[in-house]
Amino acid sequence: MKEQDVVEMLRHYRHDWLNDLQLILGYAQMGKLDKIQSKINEVIERSNQERGLDRLNIPKTMVWLYQLNWRSETFQLHFQSFVDNQPVIIDDEALLAKIQKIFQILPSYQKEYEEYIGTLIFKKVNHTIHIHLTFDLNWMEIDTLKENLEALSFIESVATEDLLRIEWYE
């Protein structure tokens, strides 16, 4: 990682933290204890999500995901990790390549002026990491999108019943 990338990442991270603190201060000045508690719980949850990713030891993938959230005007990802404290071995570069392939396909099916909030979930099942990427169903040509995602060799399944759900294993 280049020094400039680290500086940019820290700048975005600091900006997010300052925004959170300013909101909490504003709520405190207005005496809105419920809003303060809600915002603090949100910050704690986000920190726990990041800690879960950190345990996976996938630094290149983490940096790319954070940069996606900071740079993209249309995509925002939340993270969940259901991996115990036992060491997990994931090929970071291979995982990153897979996620990038998915995100090369998705923009072609976005609706104009739509924001796509997704969840990337890591689950340990026996000795395998199951990865689920989910979004709402507000995509153009959802059947074609599904076909193009299924054409990726590593994809185990793509479902479009209630959510766009993309699954694979590491």
Side-chain angles (χ1 to χ4, degrees), residues 22-33 35-36 39:
Q22 287 173 338
L23 278 172
I24 291 168
L25 178 61
Y27 291 145
Q29 290 169 340
M30 293 185 293
K32 298 191 175 211
L33 183 60
K35 295 280 191 180
I36 294 169
K39 189 63 183 173

Side-chain angles (χ1 to χ4, degrees), residues 30-96:
M30 293 185 293
K32 298 191 175 211
L33 183 60
D34 59 327
K35 295 280 191 180
I36 294 169
Q37 290 172 330
S38 175
K39 189 63 183 173
I40 289 172
N41 286 334
E42 179 186 313
V43 169
I44 289 169
E45 177 60 29
R46 188 173 64 234
S47 295
N48 285 333
Q49 290 175 359
E50 291 171 1
R51 183 180 25 217
L53 272 185
D54 199 31
R55 288 184 186 139
L56 295 173
N57 194 25
I58 50 172
K60 291 178 182 180
T61 302
M62 282 180 62
V63 167
W64 190 88
L65 292 170
Y66 288 146
Q67 288 175 336
L68 173 74
N69 280 346
W70 292 324
R71 291 181 178 165
S72 176
E73 295 178 8
T74 56
F75 286 111
Q76 287 295 306
L77 281 180
H78 300 280
F79 316 108
Q80 294 180 345
S81 177
F82 300 101
V83 177
D84 55 25
N85 291 330
Q86 299 297 318
V88 175
I89 298 173
I90 299 176
D91 183 336
D92 188 22
E93 289 185 18
L95 175 61
L96 176 57

Side-chain angles (χ1 to χ4, degrees), residues 97-99 101-102 151-156 167-170:
K98 291 172 183 176
I99 292 172
K101 285 180 183 177
I102 292 169
L152 296 172
S153 62
F154 61 91
I155 296 294
E156 290 294 323
E167 298 182 17
W168 73 96
Y169 311 127
E170 291 294 321

Side-chain angles (χ1 to χ4, degrees), residues 105-150:
I105 293 172
L106 293 177
S108 299
Y109 298 92
Q110 291 177 270
K111 292 181 180 176
E112 194 172 12
Y113 307 115
E114 220 28 76
E115 183 178 26
Y116 292 84
I117 299 173
T119 305
L120 184 62
I121 302 169
F122 296 86
K123 286 184 181 179
K124 186 175 181 182
V125 179
N126 298 323
H127 299 291
T128 306
I129 302 298
H130 293 235
I131 301 173
H132 306 259
L133 176 60
T134 61
F135 288 98
D136 285 333
L137 287 176
N138 52 342
W139 301 89
M140 296 185 308
E141 302 176 36
I142 192 76
D143 293 332
T144 307
L145 170 58
K146 181 180 178 185
E147 288 173 16
N148 284 325
L149 291 168
E150 288 173 332

